[in-house]
Amino acid sequence: MKSASKITHKATSAKRGYTVQAVVRAAAILNAFQSTSEVLDLRVIASRVGLHKATTFRLLETLVETHLIERAGKQGYRCCVQPARTKRYRIGYGSQTSLLPFTATVSDGLVVAANAANIDLFVLNNGLSPRVALQNADTFVAERVDLVVDSQINIGVAAEIAVKFSEARIPFIALDIPHPGAIYFGADNYKAGRMAGRHLARWATKNWKNGPEQIILLGVDAAGPLLNARLTGVLDGINEVSTLGHNIPTHHYDTKGGQFEATLDIMRRHIRRRKPERALVGAVNDSTALGALQAFREAGIERSCAIAGQDGSLAAREEMRRPSTRLICSVAYFPETYGERIIRLALDVLKHKPVAPAVFVQHELLTPQNVDQIYPNDTWMKSSPERI
């Protein structure tokens, strides 16, 4: 009598004998698309299905002729049939806050990308509160989401949040600051800070004969050394270019989560007490940079400062277009691209594909001289940015 295993193997072999590999490959290409709204180029499709580009191209053109795929632009393709999905994933997203423009841009992009990928996005607001972030983590676990994307900056609860997801066996992507056991997605904070610091030093050397007489650093202490690595980078960048930063009084302030109003109050008090004449300001984000600039502007001493921001936000870009602005730079992270990249990373994790432990975003120094080249479409926007 034949064993069950042999019978099963024989049946499987018989089924495989009827398989048409060209059809299997064509189906793989159709399933490479997450939705009918996704546009992919040849390189991306070939990578997703694991086929040579020439083979992929021939299959794509055949599918175009049969109206299962259509061309989108010169190099893009769009699937005309809704890809079959055995499971609709549910992803929990803990937004840092609704008050910061950077976070709002990331959130908007995530919602759009999740919808395009046929993903149910369950959104909660951490509200810059460690207590709320812990409560939201419990909610994600109770809701049994498939994966969590969490944006919270309180280092004191990072390990506790990570343990909750680990014990529930929920994969975890951490934005903004790393968490134990999580995949990190975000800025290389120290690198971004150094970029800003070097530009500050070069600007001061060119514009201030006697150099700066003080340095002001505006941070977020709740995030510990992780987010404030931007400020460490600012100092190192200043000292890398020149000796300006050595032996100059340096003032560090916590901006209560990187908010405009808190920074404005802090800088008003600093200006009254310290009466700055030539101050270099390194800010943890653009909200704090603009808050500091507003304080100098109110006091009538705007020309006594040179400020470097982080984020490359729309409000910062508009400020840099003002003649003689003292917001001399901001390091852009392009948060408008985060949503699609995070969803793609999440899908790779859920499909058990190999992923890097840290995914760093693109950094680029924005200045009044290059802002129109890097963001040429800002002038097309119909509404002006609201005050942060």
Side-chain angles (χ1 to χ4, degrees):
M1 182 177 176
K2 295 181 180 179
S3 66
S5 62
K6 287 183 179 179
I7 294 172
T8 302
H9 175 72
K10 204 167 191 179
T12 302
S13 299
K15 286 182 181 178
R16 287 177 179 168
Y18 293 108
T19 301
V20 179
Q21 287 300 315
V23 176
V24 172
R25 290 176 174 178
I29 287 178
L30 292 173
N31 284 320
F33 293 84
Q34 303 295 340
S35 72
T36 54
S37 63
E38 185 177 36
V39 176
L40 304 176
D41 62 22
L42 173 62
R43 178 185 56 81
V44 172
I45 298 170
S47 175
R48 288 189 181 183
V49 298
L51 294 175
H52 191 276
K53 284 172 64 175
T55 303
T56 305
F57 177 74
R58 290 195 298 271
L59 288 165
L60 279 168
E61 290 303 305
T62 302
L63 292 169
V64 167
E65 288 183 16
T66 55
H67 306 293
L68 295 176
I69 283 179
E70 64 181 7
R71 293 188 188 89
K74 292 184 178 179
Q75 298 180 332
Y77 293 91
R78 182 186 292 110
C79 186
C80 299
V81 295
Q82 183 65 44
R85 293 284 177 262
T86 56
K87 176 179 174 62
R88 179 180 172 90
Y89 291 117
R90 193 174 191 220
I91 292 178
Y93 169 52
S95 170
Q96 185 184 143
T97 175
S98 59
L99 300 177
L100 299 177
F102 185 92
T103 304
T105 301
V106 172
S107 299
D108 290 346
L110 267 173
V111 170
V112 172
N115 183 61
N118 196 35
I119 286 173
D120 182 10
L121 192 67
F122 178 33
V123 181
L124 297 174
N125 190 344
N126 288 327
L128 295 174
S129 165
R131 177 184 59 81
V132 175
L134 285 168
Q135 291 175 348
N136 289 343
D138 287 332
T139 301
F140 289 138
V141 171
E143 291 286 331
R144 297 181 180 180
V145 296
D146 297 300
L147 180 143
V148 171
V149 177
D150 206 13
S151 176
Q152 79 85 28
I153 59 172
N154 292 279
I155 191 65
V157 297
E160 191 175 350
I161 287 174
V163 166
K164 290 178 184 291
F165 296 140
S166 176
E167 290 180 345
R169 299 184 180 279
I170 297 174
F172 175 27
I173 298 173
L175 308 186
D176 305 312
I177 67 170
H179 286 53
I183 298 165
Y184 173 70
F185 183 98
D188 184 333
N189 291 308
Y190 178 76
K191 175 183 176 181
R194 278 182 63 202
M195 292 172 68
R198 290 195 295 264
H199 189 74
L200 279 172
R202 293 189 186 105
W203 187 96
T205 300
K206 180 179 179 181
N207 292 277
W208 287 337
K209 182 179 179 181
N210 297 324
E213 44 84 27
Q214 63 179 266
I215 297 172
I216 303 169
L217 301 175
L218 303 171
V220 177
D221 292 352
L226 301 171
L227 197 58
N228 281 346
R230 297 178 184 181
L231 307 184
T232 304
V234 166
L235 279 178
D236 288 352
I238 291 172
N239 293 325
E240 179 185 331
V241 170
S242 69
T243 59
L244 292 174
H246 296 293
N247 303 317
I248 296 177
T250 300
H251 310 277
H252 177 104
Y253 295 107
D254 176 29
T255 60
K256 312 302 180 186
Q259 298 186 66
F260 179 95
E261 295 295 343
T263 305
L264 180 58
D265 290 340
I266 289 166
M267 288 306 302
R268 284 168 173 164
R269 292 194 295 271
H270 177 89
I271 290 170
R272 286 196 297 269
R273 291 195 307 264
R274 304 289 179 177
K275 297 179 173 55
E277 296 179 1
R278 298 179 308 280
L280 293 182
V281 182
V284 73
N285 62 14
D286 284 338
S287 293
T288 54
L290 293 169
L293 181 61
Q294 180 66 20
F296 276 95
R297 192 168 281 161
E298 286 179 355
I301 56 170
E302 183 176 352
R303 297 186 67 78
S304 298
C305 70
I307 301 174
Q310 299 278 335
D311 291 347
S313 69
L314 176 60
R317 301 195 305 265
E318 289 301 306
E319 173 58 40
M320 281 190 279
R321 292 184 173 98
R322 290 178 54 143
S324 303
T325 181
R326 287 307 174 108
L327 180 62
I328 65 167
C329 71
S330 178
V331 179
Y333 304 147
F334 306 99
E336 60 273 14
T337 68
Y338 276 33
E340 184 179 349
R341 294 186 62 192
I342 292 170
I343 291 299
R344 196 184 315 137
L345 175 62
L347 286 171
D348 285 345
V349 172
L350 290 168
K351 294 175 182 178
H352 306 290
K353 294 182 179 180
V355 297
V359 179
F360 293 111
V361 299
Q362 175 189 356
H363 304 79
E364 192 157 354
L365 188 74
L366 292 180
T367 68
Q369 291 72 41
N370 71 10
V371 64
D372 285 331
Q373 285 72 47
I374 296 176
Y375 275 99
N377 295 336
D378 282 353
T379 55
W380 294 357
M381 301 189 70
K382 294 181 180 179
S383 59
S384 59
E386 296 179 358
R387 182 185 177 194
I388 298 178

